[in-house]
Structure formats: structure tokens, C-alpha cells
Amino acid sequence: MNAVRGLLDFIARLVQDHRPDDLVACMDFDWRPGWRVELIPTYKAHRVAEEAPGGEGVDQEEVPDTLSPQVPVIDAVLDAVGIARVGAADHEADDVIGTLADRATGPVDIVTGDRDLFQLVDDGRRARVLYPVKGVGTLLLVDEAALREKYGVDGPGYADLALLRGDPSDGLPGVPGIGEKTAAKLLAAHGDLAGIMAAVDDPASKLTPSQRKRLDEARAYVAVAPKVVRVARDVPLPAFDPALPRRPRDPRALGELEERWGLGGSLRRLLSTLEG
Ligand code: MN
Ligand code: MN
């Protein structure tokens, strides 16, 4: 139950350092939605193979999967503590996060190791990402200044940058020959993806011949990729209470989970941090 204890320690630290009013655990009800795969068949395709080790193949090593049995325990512990868990059918956690960030009226900290969520960074709306570096010991604060410094784009520009550059970790091909630096330059010169594609059609625009050719050849990809790369902002969500509890919602269930899985120290630390 290392993942369970690790998560409890992580949440305790987060609450200690940031004292949020609300805290929501956003769940992947579908980590690879069919509607994204239909648009870009390679989307997360390599991870399907990774997530199904063994099988019929004789060459594949049996990798013991220690994480998945812990997920139901994580769910049960969060529910018993009273930390909201929210997911949506046919959607990734990314889309739930996008929807919650859009609904929020106050500042939002998105805690994620997934760079896709950089597209939600918005200084004007006080939305930023806390990105774990070196394991989960340190959280890097990602605001628009950090994005400009590292990628040369602002928050909304990050989705266009990722789309053009591609993202091997998600099986997103990108536009061949357009790397991160070129993508950032094109975005700076033409504003956004639509501006870049308008420049392709404009013989007077300042694209190099090879950029023009590459973007022109990638039209089919550029047409469908935004729906894949941009997180949804309007996913229907069930009713839930985002308020961070001071006391466990279901102490009896929590006691049983603690005993059964030996969560002692980590759980106690979290509960005393919540009581604050
Ligand atoms: Mn993602
Ligand atoms: Mn990703």
C-alpha cells in the first residue's frame, strides 16, 4: 500500500503548504477516450501495449502490477476522509480539471505531473500549475512567466505549441519538421494556430518555403488535433462538495481501512493537518 500512503503524505503536505478551501481529486474515468482516438489513432496507442503486459506474447516479461490493486483503496480512503473525487464518463481527468478550472471564481492551483494542463495556466484568472519535480518532493510553480521562459508561449498558447511540436508521451505526432523552438517562433509571429494556418495560405507571409510545405502537408492533422489536444471545459459533472473537510466524513470506515491496510502514520498526519 505504498501508493496509498504516498498519496496521503502528498495531500497532507499540499494542505499544509497551501491551505486550500476546496480540494478535488480529478479521476480518469477514461484515460484514452474513443472520441480522441477516432481523431488521432496513435493517441496513447503505445501505452495500451505497455498497460497490458504478459498476454499471449512469450517474450514479454511479467511485470507485477502493484499499483492497480491500490486504486480502489485510494478511492475508499478519499471517500471516507471526505475529499471529493470527481470524474466524467468518456473523459480524462484533464477534461474534469479543465471544466473545474473554467467554473472556478477564485484562484486555482492544478496539481499535476501532466504538462498537458499547462494550457490552463492563466494569470488573469489566477490559474496556475503546481508541477512535481524530483519525485514529488518539490512542486514547481508554473505561471505564465514560467511558460514564457521555458517554452516562449503563454498558457493558452501551450496547447498550440504541443499540437505543432507533438508529444511522444501521448502518441501525438505533431507537424513533422516543426520542433518546439520553431513552433514557439511561429506562434510568436502569427498569434495562434489559426494565424499560422492563415499564413500558409497567404503567399506574402513570412514563412520559409519548408515551413510552408510542412504545414500545408499537415492540414489534415491540424484540422483534428485541437479537439484531441485541448482539454474539454464543459464536461457534465455530478454534484459534489469540494470543501476540504476538517474531520473525516466516515470515521468508522476510515478506521477499518486504516487497520486493514496499515495506513497508520500517513493517515494520522493527514487528519491532523486537516484539523489544522
Ligand atoms: Mn493528459
Ligand atoms: Mn500528457
Side-chain angles (χ1 to χ4, degrees):
M1 291 296 123
N2 283 330
V4 184
R5 282 189 290 265
L7 180 67
L8 295 178
D9 290 340
F10 184 71
I11 295 174
R13 175 90 187 273
L14 202 59
V15 170
Q16 180 93 52
D17 292 350
H18 296 274
R19 292 281 158 202
D21 298 317
D22 298 339
L23 181 68
V24 181
C26 298
M27 317 302 285
D28 264 336
F29 277 13
D30 189 344
W31 65 276
R32 188 175 181 248
W35 54 271
R36 283 198 164 103
V37 177
E38 234 164 72
L39 294 169
I40 299 184
T42 55
Y43 183 65
K44 293 185 175 177
H46 61 297
R47 294 205 220 164
V48 176
E50 281 168 23
E51 299 217 341
E56 299 297 307
V58 284
D59 295 336
Q60 277 174 318
E61 201 181 325
E62 284 285 345
V63 182
D65 180 5
T66 55
L67 186 61
S68 14
Q70 300 189 57
V71 173
V73 182
I74 287 173
D75 291 352
V77 172
L78 292 178
D79 290 351
V81 171
I83 292 174
R85 277 194 305 122
V86 181
D90 294 328
H91 287 85
E92 299 178 50
D94 302 32
D95 305 307
V96 177
I97 294 170
T99 300
L100 292 179
D102 241 44
R103 286 186 188 176
T105 50
V108 177
D109 284 339
I110 298 161
V111 185
T112 181
D114 184 352
R115 295 186 302 170
D116 298 340
L117 281 318
F118 288 173
Q119 64 184 277
L120 295 175
V121 168
D122 186 336
D123 288 358
R125 301 194 56 177
R126 292 185 295 167
R128 53 188 198 169
V129 167
L130 301 178
Y131 186 81
V133 286
K134 295 182 209 143
V136 289
T138 315
L139 292 175
L140 186 71
L141 195 162
V142 181
D143 57 9
E144 287 189 25
L147 286 181
R148 274 192 295 269
E149 159 101 26
K150 178 127 193 353
Y151 299 105
V153 293
D154 57 11
Y158 185 83
D160 287 347
L161 179 87
L163 185 157
L164 291 163
R165 170 199 68 193
D167 187 347
S169 73
D170 282 342
L172 200 69
V175 177
I178 306 283
E180 188 167 282
K181 291 248 154 61
T182 304
K185 268 188 212 151
L186 290 170
L187 287 167
H190 305 283
D192 56 15
L193 185 65
I196 293 170
M197 295 317 285
V200 176
D201 294 326
D202 173 7
S205 69
K206 283 186 286 180
L207 293 169
T208 69
S210 89
Q211 285 167 353
R212 192 181 299 277
K213 180 165 177 290
R214 282 168 167 154
L215 288 161
D216 184 49
E217 286 169 355
R219 270 177 205 281
Y221 165 77
V222 169
V224 296
K227 187 123 198 258
V228 176
V229 174
R230 289 181 193 149
V231 304
R233 311 286 190 109
D234 53 358
V235 178
L237 299 176
F240 64 95
D241 178 7
L244 192 63
R246 308 275 306 212
R247 259 165 282 290
R249 176 186 295 157
D250 189 343
R252 206 175 61 91
L254 199 56
E256 281 165 16
L257 288 160
E258 174 178 6
E259 203 171 317
R260 175 150 180 218
W261 301 111
L263 305 175
S266 297
L267 188 58
R268 264 191 306 266
R269 271 193 296 280
L270 173 60
L271 295 182
S272 74
T273 308
L274 289 176
E275 268 175 41

